[in-house]
Amino acid sequence: MQNVELPGYRHSYLHGNVSASRSRAIAPLERDESVPMETCFVFFPGRSNGLLIRGGRVVNDDRSEFADVYVEHGLIKDVGVNLTVPDDVRVLEANGAMVIPGGIDVNTCLLKPHLGCPPVDDFFLGTKAALAGGTTMIIDHVVPQPGDSLLEAFERWQASADRKCCCDYSLHVDLPNWNAGVQDELEVLVQEKGINSFQVYMAYKDMFQMTDSQLYEAFSFLKDLGAVVMVHAENGDLIAQEQSKILSMGITGPEGHPLSRPEELEAEAVFRAITLGNRVNCPVYITKVMSKTAADTITQARRKGSVVFGEPITASLATDGSHYWSKNWAKAAAYVTSPPLSPDPTTPDHLHSLLACGDLQVVGSAHCAYSTSQKAIGKDNFTLIPEGTNGVEERMGFVWDKAVAMGKMDENQFVAVTSTNSAKIFNLYPRKGRIAVGSDADIVIWDPDRTKTITSKIQQSAVEYNIFEGMECRGGPVAVVSQGRVVYEEGEGLQVQQGSGRFIPRQAFPDHVYQRIRTRNKVKGRQGVTRGMYDGPVYDVPAMPKYITPSPSAKTSPTSHQPPPIRNLHQSNFSLSGAQLDDNVPRRSGHRIVAPPGGRSNITSLG
Amino acid sequence: MSGHSYQGKKNIPKITSDRLLVKGGRIVNDDQSFYADIYMEDGVIKQIGDNLIVPGGIKTVEANGKMVIPGGIDIHTHFQMPYRGTTTVDDFSQGSKAALAGGTTMIVDHVIPEPGSSLIEAFEQWRNWADEKTCCDYSLHVDITHWNDRVKQEVDILLKEKGVNSFQVYMAYKDFYQMSNSELYEIFTFLGEMGGIVQVHAENGEIIAEEQARMLEMGITGPEGHVLSRPEELEAEAVFRAITIASQTNCPLYVTRVMSKSAADIISQARKKGNVVFGEPITASLGTDGTHYWSKNWAKAASFVTSPPLSPDPTTPDYLNTLLASGDLNITGSAHCTFSVAQKAIGKDDFTQIPEGVNGVEERMSLIWEKAVTTGKMDENMFVAVTSTNAAKILNLYPRKGRLAVGSDADLVIWDPDTVRTVTAKTHNSAAEYNVFEGMELRGGPSVVICQGKLVLEDGGLHVTPGVGRFIPCTPFPDYAYKRVKARKQLAVLRAVPRGMYDGPVSDFSPLSRGGTPSASARTSPTKQPVRNLHHSAFSLAGNPAQRGELQKHLHLPISLPVSDCHRKYQGTHKYTHTHTRAFRSRLSVR
């Protein structure tokens, strides 16, 4: 009776994932870089590489039950009590502790260069830290420099990760700019490379920042591809102004960072991103929710029905921005990230409440660790300080400490925000994010009572300043199983294998995100009013009709030109929210009305 | 899943050795959808997957790629409810038949003991009625209509031995069902300790009584008087008060019948602050509005009478559907309680006498599909959550009910999202003459319904057997509501500050001068003096007691003051009231 939900899943994700990954999935738990993958299968001849996790309480996002979990070849084979398993399997005793799906950290930057230097935590150190904290999968951001090819950047990231990752990984691709070439590359990435999420920037003026019209086009295009649009939401124009103002006031230290990026600018951008998402009928995922006002904006939009997701990060959930005023420059600089940590000390508490009630869904870490000497690039000018904080190792612990141990959320919701919701949004569910037959054997035995004091001395990350230094954290993993292999056991330490992490491709159109979008496409098609032909006199107009507003910038594409509601019958059939076959073909709206071929004899024939 | 107990059921043999295969469907649970076949035996799902190995010659149902969803759970019905010597026209047989016709395979009915009578006797009475006639599985809520130590013992027995985990209390129906705030506090405290779910009918009964008298005085006697005497505000106020009491007593709260936007907003705000509160909009509030109370046809207008009333704001259904989609409201019921026109006509000259209740058990699922899913507000997984899974979780029946999984009960529905049906009293399965959704076109409906592993709806034909429905016992402390409550209890240990003994002079005082506010009604128990209860004052669920205190002040004062009768009662709970009363009074008299 125990294996409740199981058989159905086995095939459901088979069809949900690119089958290539399956053949790799069965492969090799102990993989050496020199050994070609196909041959790794025969590592323990004569011995099954099964693993039994006994006597635990299996906690999924919907319920908890006492059950054993049997794992073979990196997959969960059985869940239940009194399982029949081979004699020679390794047994991991859970002793009544929680057995949860391994965490998924959806936001890491382990290769994102700042002015040419990569962060000190690469894919090896970063994933090692992740595993130590109970996270068994990361999704890293590919950050191409403006002008670079997305595909090349993606391949560079993938190559580095394949060589170094110790746990499964996947990749988001950030869009540094928007043009026709990018569109072709996006199609390839989505359809052939298994990428279904892309980040756009509303900040970093003259670098990554896109204008609203570009965002509109990017949203429309990505939505047709079935991708998840991630937004770095901050008003870059205002930040640039504020930065120069603050520098001219003589403030050059890290405190200038939050001063030039007030909370309001984040909330404004979140609101704008959601508005764009609503107009295009595109799901929006806000990365790094750092302030109360930004979170509240998301909450309100969700209540009105917008498909929007919010991701607070370890830093915003566990600490605040008061440290920017620290007298110790190196310490203050360690907190620099964008959007900045809010100086309001009640922020973490508020974000946890919203996470507990489901208004925010996913916890990332935005782990991007630079050494103090790298941070010191900006010692005389805060705008040059490389941005990024640590958090991949501490992520799950702090959610437990600040939300579950405080009674704000229960253990099932804990699993949802640290793992299941990410798997659903990024189309990994139920392969990841659930303990069920057929799912990947990424499992954590979690001890809610373990207490640990965070310090850079015992952390896995190479960063000198841990922004959570000295904080006590209840809850932590006692054992971590990644790909069916025990990589961490209390007392035994970490036993990771560099390069054992697999790239997990993700298909477009995740159900959790796109079901509603699809229906809305169908029902929200707008139609013009069918009218009789107007054949009265027409006033002579100058060559430039008034409804062609001059585009605010040369980059603006005519597709995002919103027609004035009154007269333009030609355009009234075009639905802003509905998917059209030719959505991505630029449409020259103005021309058609001014001089249709054959003269303007019969206006209704177009309707 | 261990040990399904078919306790105390005489009719197990009827459902055994039923084997059924549903082929080629898309299984939709609340977390994901996937293509698979389902094989069930003896009323339980035995296998899910592709290419199942099943015995030959069994009955096969082709789903043809349609959705296969867990059967709906209607968590709020009043079948065969006694009312002044008559009963509602839909008895357990008729009502559960209508439920099955609409894709609902389990109902939860309310036991309403007469004030002063035994809860357990009433419960047994309802069990007998339901066992005899119900066509689908059922559970029962018990309403607490009066409160004393004997009732407390009975509630304890119902929770521990009888399989009831939810109890409804009333904040309306003055001098009848209505509870005072102190009684509510005691009940909430007790149920919070015992692991029960407090359901609350949230309306301010005191003010309603005043308003009703005023309406009748003004000569308004028709059904429009019903909604005029129960404005939206009174619902919102009571919801807020119930949440405050639940938060103070650390007890999970379930608000039955969320009928208005403002009540829904209060719930949604409280959830954001961390309160454990669940809201249940009903079919009627999700599908229609209160403009019909002004219908010239008395019988039609009277058929919409229910409490809290449907809001005359026509944007309400849309708003509630949106909150249901965003997860701010969680569970849907129907509050199906049907009276014939002749029964409604008891109140033809006085709207306060009209028996209250609307239909909705049959339309519930289709209506949510039509209003929320086809409009793109919610997806199919969320649809399953609000019509079935969440109810199963709060009743502590998950995953036996509310999920298609191996080991779950074989209650499932093949859902056709494209079928269109026009609701009309001519063809509905209820015995009521009027349908409040008359003329509405609903897309989406069940094409096959399987209940207890048996086909009950197929090819448009409904084959039900009264009496096969089993009572499903619910156990206390459902994880869905109680995990957080339990954790908070551990944190909420309050300690006094150890101080040196005060040995200075103490002035003379008369023994009655403080703490001894006379109780407002005879029912109030003297054990609780919330005003002075410093033990509770420091404890906050949401973490910010100061802020909550502010809100409480704002919301309560203006509403509770105009009625002179009720302010005395409030004195017990809200210390602000007394000092502010005079100021407000004088302002009132000017008005």
Side-chain angles (χ1 to χ4, degrees), chain B residues 112 190 234 250 306 360 369:
Chain B
I112 310 182
F190 179 67
L234 306 192
N250 195 18
T306 186
W369 187 269

Side-chain angles (χ1 to χ4, degrees), chain A residues 3 129 171 206 215-216 270 336 382 441-442 451 512 572 574 597 603:
Chain A
N3 45 351
L171 297 169
D206 302 327
L215 290 171
Y216 190 101
V270 169
V336 170
F382 65 85
D442 289 351
T451 310
H512 187 66
S572 58
F574 166 61
I603 222 168

Side-chain angles (χ1 to χ4, degrees), chain A residues 21-31 37-38 40-41 49 73-74 483 502:
Chain A
S21 74
R22 284 283 92 196
S23 57
R24 297 185 71 185
I26 306 216
L29 310 170
E30 307 278 332
R31 172 158 129 224
M37 285 211 326
E38 293 71 28
C40 318
F41 209 94
N49 53 358
H73 299 309
Q483 301 175 15
R502 302 162 298 179

Side-chain angles (χ1 to χ4, degrees), chain A residues 1-9 11-12 15 57 59 61-65 299-300 302-305 349-350 353-354 356-359 404-412 424 429-430 434 474 511-513 515-517 519-520 523-524, chain B residues 1-4 29-36 44 48-50 264-265 268-269 271-274 319 322-323 325-326 328 373-381 393 398-399 403 405-408 443 479-480 483-484 487-488 491 542-543:
Chain A
M1 289 299 265
Q2 281 292 340
N3 45 351
V4 189
E5 36 254 26
L6 314 174
Y9 293 150
H11 83 114
S12 70
H15 90 93
R57 197 155 50 86
V59 179
D61 72 322
D62 59 342
R63 69 190 203 105
S64 317
E65 56 177 331
T299 298
Q300 283 155 19
R302 286 179 62 85
R303 289 193 51 207
K304 287 191 214 134
D349 199 50
H350 187 76
S353 295
L354 294 185
C357 76
D359 282 6
V404 188
M406 301 301 288
K408 275 185 197 285
M409 77 171 61
D410 59 31
E411 59 195 23
N412 306 95
K424 284 181 180 170
Y429 188 81
R434 187 169 184 90
R474 261 165 302 176
D511 264 357
H512 187 66
V513 178
Q515 270 187 34
R516 283 177 289 169
I517 298 288
T519 316
R520 290 178 195 186
V523 297
K524 294 213 173 138
Chain B
M1 289 314 305
S2 47
H4 285 178
N29 273 322
D30 73 323
D31 60 340
Q32 60 156 348
S33 316
F34 54 93
Y35 287 91
V44 174
I48 293 180
D50 284 338
D265 278 342
S268 141
Q269 281 156 23
R271 287 176 63 85
K272 305 218 175 318
K273 283 192 235 135
Y319 194 80
T322 306
L323 289 189
S326 69
D328 286 18
V373 187
T374 63
T375 53
K377 280 184 199 290
M378 68 168 68
D379 58 32
E380 58 196 25
N381 306 102
K393 283 182 179 170
Y398 184 82
R403 187 172 183 89
V406 173
S408 296
R443 249 166 308 171
D479 273 353
Y480 188 58
K483 264 190 186 152
R484 283 178 287 168
R488 289 172 194 182
L491 295 168

